[in-house]
Amino acid sequence: MLNFAATPPLSLYIHIPWCVRKCPYCDFNSHEAPEGIPEDAYITALVADLEQDLPAAWGRTIETVFIGGGTPSLFSPEGIDRLLGDVRARVPLKPDAEITLEANPGTVDQARFRGFRDAGINRLSIGVQSFQPDLLQNIGRIHNDREAVIAVEAAHHAGFDNLNLDLMFGLPGQSTEQALMDLRTATALEPAHISWYELTIEPNTCFHRHPPERPADDTLWEMQQAGRTLLDAAGFERYEVSAYAQNSRQCQHNLNYWQFGDYLGIGAGAHAKISDAATQSITRISKAKHPRTYLDAAHSTQRISTTSRLSVDDVLLEFAMNVLRLDQGFSPATFTAATGLPYAAIEPIVNKVTADGLLSVKDGTIKATPRGQRYLNELLQSWMPETTHNA
Ligand SMILES: C[S@@+](CC[C@H](N)C(=O)[O-])C[C@H]1O[C@@H](n2cnc3c(N)ncnc32)[C@H](O)[C@@H]1O
Ligand code: SF4
């Protein structure tokens, strides 16, 4: 039985489901943009969706906003301005709330970046992926390396000092030296944050149907270790499996996910997680996935695709899946604040997994050991209570 003293911090995720072209590795809910994206109608739908979600946010303040996709930079600065104005008119935003927008280098210029800034965006996340022209081609990107650099410089000139670059490693045909060159180019551009993801082959993608040849596992491990050392030397501290920040400029929005905080999710296929102190429950909600279905359903309950109330076992597993990605781990007090459960609910599991060498407990902080981080799935399996194993 959950027993919240107070609900955890609340964020808002807004999904924009269109891209210029679908990348062959991508399983996000993104669709090739039709001639003339229905931007106005979609923003109206987002606001209607938010209005119906408001009971979940009553009495609460939104700490961060993340406009993700898809490619939100396909929307006009005027559209983003209207969207954020309509959000502010309906829910209280923390005065210095982090407000991020994802941008693709093939879709932006300095004037557009300035417009996003004037609209209230204070953090940009640019999808660079690599600075090697041939590798960018191998992964079907719409931009080349030069355009990626120009986009980052334009973002700086437009006044964005809180800038993230997304990069991937383990790309088809990539050597360790090429992966490191990408990181050197990225750090020289002085972003506040770098997300450095290992390419994964996801079901329902082009790469799943036609798998490209990727670096061997040993090379991937070598890349990861060398990249981590390089980023560390350049002043980028790792705080999550794939996230590195300079001067403690971690992504507050993603931190809230990883700390098992709450979030509203509006837009096609958006997910939400809401804790309710009145019913002592945590509910996950997802919205209609296809943009057309969402546009048609946004003004009614039909916009909701799935709702599920988490069992105690779900809460334990989902908490671990998120928080053990963080280098800082968690404490008994943060566990109770995020889950509404007493620490006693996991103490025997923590002791068992610690004895297995996958967790460490020191000075009241519980975190994955380097081996636990490397074999996170194994850790999560041993995390589940015996009853769930046998179910
Ligand atoms: C939702 S995408 C949005 C960024 C923007 N649409 C772009 O691609 O420029 C967020 C990031 O997820 C990463 N990503 C997407 N698919 C991935 C995959 N299969 N493996 C690893 N990282 C992936 C990419 O680095 C991408 O920039
Ligand atoms: S641009 Fe980004 S969201 Fe769109 S398909 Fe490519 S990786 Fe996915």
Side-chain angles (χ1 to χ4, degrees), residues 2 260 282 310-320 338-339 341:
L2 310 186
F260 207 53
I282 300 178
L310 300 190
S311 67
V312 169
D313 280 356
D314 293 336
V315 172
L316 293 181
L317 181 62
E318 293 192 16
F319 174 80
T339 62
L341 291 166

Side-chain angles (χ1 to χ4, degrees), residues 13 19 23 25-28 68-72 102-105 125-129 141 143 166-168 195 197-202 205:
Y13 176 75
C19 294
C23 302
Y25 55 84
C26 177
D27 80 333
F28 285 85
T71 304
E102 281 186 334
N104 183 319
S125 176
I126 304 185
V128 168
Q129 319 311 347
R141 295 293 291 182
H143 56 88
D166 277 347
L167 290 170
M168 293 194 292
S195 297
Y197 301 109
E198 177 177 341
L199 173 72
T200 54
I201 302 297
E202 305 291 341
T205 61

Side-chain angles (χ1 to χ4, degrees), residues 11-13 64-66 98 100 251-257:
S11 291
L12 171 64
Y13 176 75
T64 63
V65 179
F66 195 102
E98 175 191 275
T100 305
C251 175
Q252 298 304 311
H253 186 86
N254 286 342
L255 260 186
N256 189 44
Y257 290 153

Side-chain angles (χ1 to χ4, degrees), residues 319-339:
F319 174 80
M321 279 169 66
N322 281 287
V323 85
L324 293 177
R325 299 180 63 89
L326 288 172
D327 286 0
Q328 69 186 43
F330 67 98
S331 69
T334 54
F335 168 76
T336 297
T339 62

Side-chain angles (χ1 to χ4, degrees), residues 350-360 367-373 379:
V350 168
N351 291 339
K352 176 167 83 77
V353 186
T354 304
D356 293 343
L358 298 169
L359 275 185
S360 74
K367 56 187 185 186
T369 58
R371 193 158 79 82
Q373 282 188 336
L379 192 169

Side-chain angles (χ1 to χ4, degrees), residues 54-338:
L54 286 181
W58 273 333
R60 301 174 74 175
T61 299
I62 304 276
E63 314 262 334
T64 63
V65 179
F66 195 102
I67 308 180
T71 304
S73 52
L74 280 176
F75 272 29
S76 66
E78 296 73 27
I80 298 298
D81 185 52
R82 180 186 147 212
L83 173 62
L84 288 178
D86 285 352
V87 167
R88 284 181 193 282
R90 283 161 183 82
V91 276
L93 246 59
K94 203 171 99 186
D96 56 348
E98 175 191 275
I99 306 179
T100 305
L101 178 123
E102 281 186 334
N104 183 319
T107 62
V108 280
D109 55 34
Q110 200 170 315
R112 207 171 178 81
F113 277 144
R114 257 190 227 290
F116 290 141
R117 210 175 149 63
D118 291 344
I121 302 295
N122 54 28
R123 184 173 184 274
L124 266 187
S125 176
I126 304 185
V128 168
Q129 319 311 347
S130 171
F131 290 102
Q132 317 284 322
D134 50 334
L135 297 186
L136 285 170
Q137 252 184 12
N138 290 356
I139 59 166
R141 295 293 291 182
I142 60 166
H143 56 88
N144 60 28
D145 53 317
R146 186 77 207 119
E147 287 161 326
V149 172
I150 289 172
V152 178
E153 286 169 348
H156 276 306
H157 285 134
F160 282 104
D161 65 338
N162 201 357
L163 190 60
N164 169 58
L165 305 186
D166 277 347
L167 290 170
M168 293 194 292
F169 70 96
L171 302 177
Q174 189 181 40
S175 65
T176 300
E177 187 44 35
Q178 282 179 316
L180 297 181
M181 264 160 61
D182 277 350
L183 292 178
R184 272 185 218 113
T185 310
T187 54
L189 289 166
E190 299 189 349
H193 191 284
I194 293 177
S195 297
W196 195 46
Y197 301 109
E198 177 177 341
L199 173 72
T200 54
I201 302 297
E202 305 291 341
N204 299 317
T205 61
C206 211
F207 273 4
H208 195 257
R209 289 185 290 278
H210 309 284
E213 198 165 325
R214 283 185 301 149
D217 280 353
D218 285 354
T219 312
L220 286 173
W221 181 245
E222 177 190 278
M223 260 182 209
Q224 195 163 21
Q225 297 314 304
R228 209 176 147 177
T229 306
L230 187 155
L231 285 166
D232 189 55
F236 288 83
E237 195 185 342
R238 192 181 91 147
Y239 63 101
E240 187 267 350
V241 177
S242 312
Y244 298 78
Q246 222 177 4
N247 304 321
S248 307
R249 303 197 80 175
Q250 290 113 337
C251 175
Q252 298 304 311
H253 186 86
N254 286 342
L255 260 186
N256 189 44
Y257 290 153
W258 295 321
Q259 289 170 338
F260 207 53
D262 278 0
Y263 46 95
L264 296 171
I266 58 171
H271 290 247
K273 167 193 169 262
I274 299 294
S275 310
D276 182 359
T279 55
Q280 289 297 335
S281 62
I282 300 178
T283 305
R284 286 202 179 275
I285 299 155
S286 72
K287 301 288 170 58
K289 197 165 175 196
H290 197 275
R292 190 68 261 162
T293 320
Y294 176 79
L295 276 165
D296 291 342
H299 298 262
S300 73
T301 52
Q302 300 286 310
R303 75 194 192 292
I304 296 187
S305 168
T306 60
T307 307
S308 60
R309 197 181 261 216
L310 300 190
S311 67
V312 169
D313 280 356
D314 293 336
V315 172
L316 293 181
L317 181 62
E318 293 192 16
F319 174 80
M321 279 169 66
N322 281 287
V323 85
L324 293 177
R325 299 180 63 89
L326 288 172
D327 286 0
Q328 69 186 43
F330 67 98
S331 69
T334 54
F335 168 76
T336 297

